[in-house]
Amino acid sequence: MSEFAGPSPRVEWHALNLESVQARVGAVAEGLSDEEVAKRLHRFGPNELKDSEPVNPWAILASQFGSLIVWILIAAGIVSGLFGEWIDALAIAAIVVLNALIGFYQEFSAEKSMAALKRMTAPHARVRRNGTVRDVLAREIVPGDVLVLEAGDLVPADARLTKAASLKCVEAALTGESDAVGKHAGDLDREEVPLGDRKNMVFMGTSVATGSAEALAVATGMATEMGHIAGLIQKAGRDDGTPLQRRLQAFGKLLVWASLGVVGLVFVLGLARGMEVFELFLTAVSLAVAAVPEGLPAVVTISLAVGVQRMARRRALMRRLPTVETLGSTSVICTDKTGTLTVGEMTVRALYACDREWEVTGEGYGPDGAISPRTPGEAEPGATGLSDLMLILAGCNSAHLAQEDGRWKAIGDPTEGALLAVAAKARVLPATLDTEWPRAREFPFDSDRKMMTAIRKTPQGGFRALVKGAPDVLLARCTRVLTPKGVKPLTDRDRERISALNAAWAGRALRVLGAAMKEGVQDPDAPSMEEIESDLVFVGLAGMYDPPRPEAKDAVARCRSAGIRVVMITGDHPRTALAVARELGLAESDGKALTGLELDRLSDAELSGQVDRVAVFARVTAEHKLRIVRAWKTRHAIVAMTGDGVNDAPAIKGADVGIAMGKAGTEVTKEASDMIVADDNFASIVAAVEEGRGIFDNIKKTLQYLLAGNAGELLLMTACVVCGLPMALLPIHLLWINLVTDGLPALCLATDPIDPDVMKRGPRKAGTAIADRGFLILMGATGFLTAAVAFGVYVYGLRFETLEMARTHAFAALVFAELLRSFGCRSETKTLFQVGTFTNLRLAFVVGVAFLFQVWSHHNPVLGGFLKTGMMSWSDCLMLAAVSAIPISILEIAKLSRQFGSVK
């Protein structure tokens, strides 16, 4: 045996002839010796996927303190403590810790993608070594091992087939193709072959549906296609933060400079007025602390957490908290076809028998659905011809259906499962069939002859051959045809009509199978296969495909109205992908699909330039999907990627939002995702986008409410410094307003119901800041109005009352104005009456309680002493409340003015 140097991870093994493959891996017919296996195992390592480094829980906790806003709060708390303001310091510390704990609880989950991939690989395998077949641990398989495969086996390594008998493999998780793929041991005539068309190869993690085979292991562990995907998952991790995190980071920087600006301005003005430096420093620091919205991190975290709960009720389960809002920024949804836009299960849609066409309803492998004539008034499903067709579809079949957790599944070939399902709709059941028509002999499907035959004993005691296969091959073996008037000779006109129908169905992306039979078989064991499968009677056709989900078309339409681009990325054939895309409204009638081979000829820059003009990508691999996602991201799109197969996992990991299907999704895909759709419903993704947009709106309106209030406080205090007046507010007043008066309504705004029109506008651009020009103008105007009212009340109090009462009036006016303004903050365009005062009952309750509490503080000596306020009469409280309504009244009138202006 020659010295084996080891295979390259990306060798195109399918393109080599068998002799070359055997020479390159150093294989022998009797299998490797134990000594050679040990050498190769030591040299190339075990046949398993490498783990990614586990995430440290302490690292997750530390990441909760990575926000600039949090560090501003920590700095404010430290400064407050240094100057003896312990209540402020403790309150800020409590907010920071609570925010970190909530975020840690939501995000604490280990990265399990590699472990999930391991669970998909076979734990044991059968190989030929030293001339005998033995069972070994899959991790001990090495390149050059001869694998022995049978129906039901998981393939333990990538391997080149050397023998294959009626072999079909289910590769949906790896390639996205829902149908079982026929395999053979022959050579392929070209090198550039998509992964799904490499018929002489089997791949790690896929399963054998039917048949048996021997194969030569050519790649193990991380050198396999599954290993390549595992490597892509590790490299595809997102490290640039979510849009919300980036916006808050940018806002934090703005807040730092604004705070320094306030401190510097007040310090300079104070010096100009001759204030003591130490007193001036304390005042400036107090104002800087007041500029920081202490409740912001908690409000953002709670808003996201509440959004998670809302999404869960809409069947969308979030795994990473900040990604909740990212959904609202999504401008492109790259979605897998199989199992996401489609049911993920082959379903018979059309039947032909006795010159009649029939339509079939229902999805999946369940018996729900009906068979009805395409032309009304024709025969019902029990008619002659259709019953014979159902007998062939169910009787010439090696699969069976099983119900698990209320869901029907096909055990065996998915195509044969679909045939059993349509037969069940016609009340032809395998159990009854096996009793009344017992199986006598079978010729399994063979990729060379493209047919399968089962001989069954009839209830009358004779034998009938039931045959199914490719329509063109089957027609060539038929000499007669079943008609409404019985069996008659098959004419050229009959052949043309059947061939035309077969072509028409294929044009609709249906996979078409023909059915035929042979009566009067005397001895099922005597005739040869060639004799049985000749001189047949043509019975009919069955057309099937993986149908779109019923709700997917409406969900795609909603995405379009919301300005979201939906792109199909699938490993399936272009014709099938385009047919589904057209049915869902994703592609025009003349639209074309870009294939994986065409993608390989494009550079990343060329792909980025073309990606927005392509709605369907077909015959693509996991690596292609990741390239497409990255191409969209280079165009500054916020990309969501959905899917359920292993081949979707790298792109899901690399997208801004990774979405996995909960029922059909593999564990690999779920662990790589940010969100799991529990009901596998594409419409649930759209609902989650709606929630994400609503969450951003709530965060923005909450931020506006908090910052406008802080701006009012700063303007009021700055005005006092400029005018040489005593400070209108004491530190306890600032803390009370920021944490209680502003904080509690802010929490209610953070959980505000979603605007019904949120999906009628386009997505936000990736670089759009939270504090844009409009935001800052509104914040400044609101702060000015609030400060003006409080300053007027304060000056009036200084003129006619004591300093304590003047501060009491200013404090009360500021509190009342803030509480009333919370109702107006619910919408930037609609008035509070248009939104509805009681559509947020929590806010109405909190504002009512806070109002009563504030009034009570002016009539209770203990509470008044804590807040350092004086006693006021009920009439004074009422008068202050009326004056405090001025800011919200002006802001609401401005909204009405804009509405009338837009109408004109």
Side-chain angles (χ1 to χ4, degrees), residues 150-302:
E150 292 182 353
D153 287 348
L154 277 175
V155 180
D158 288 3
R160 172 69 154 80
L161 290 167
T162 57
K163 299 178 183 177
S166 305
L167 183 67
K168 284 189 176 184
C169 293
V170 178
E171 299 178 342
L174 187 63
T175 66
E177 186 169 350
S178 51
D179 197 12
V181 180
K183 299 286 185 176
H184 61 77
D187 298 334
L188 299 184
D189 57 0
R190 66 188 194 279
E191 183 173 337
E192 289 188 344
V193 180
L195 187 64
D197 291 335
R198 297 176 186 177
K199 302 297 178 68
N200 59 2
M201 295 285 296
V202 289
F203 302 101
M204 173 191 274
T206 63
S207 62
V208 179
T210 61
S212 59
E214 288 190 7
L216 193 60
V218 294
T220 59
M222 295 299 288
T224 63
E225 291 295 332
M226 189 75 78
H228 181 57
I229 291 176
L232 289 175
I233 293 174
Q234 293 177 0
K235 296 175 183 177
R238 301 171 295 276
D239 55 5
D240 50 355
T242 69
L244 178 63
Q245 290 170 325
R246 294 193 291 269
R247 289 186 178 103
L248 288 177
Q249 198 76 0
F251 176 74
K253 294 177 182 177
L254 177 66
L255 200 58
V256 167
W257 289 110
S259 299
L260 291 175
V262 169
V263 171
L265 177 63
V266 171
F267 203 84
V268 170
L269 289 174
L271 286 177
R273 295 194 61 85
M275 294 179 62
E276 292 184 11
V277 175
F278 183 71
E279 180 185 354
L280 186 58
F281 179 73
L282 291 180
T283 301
V285 170
S286 297
L287 286 177
V289 172
V292 179
E294 289 90 343
L296 178 59
V299 164
V300 171
T301 302
I302 290 173

Side-chain angles (χ1 to χ4, degrees), residues 22-33:
Q22 290 171 332
R24 292 193 66 163
V25 299
V28 291
E30 65 273 12
L32 301 175
S33 66

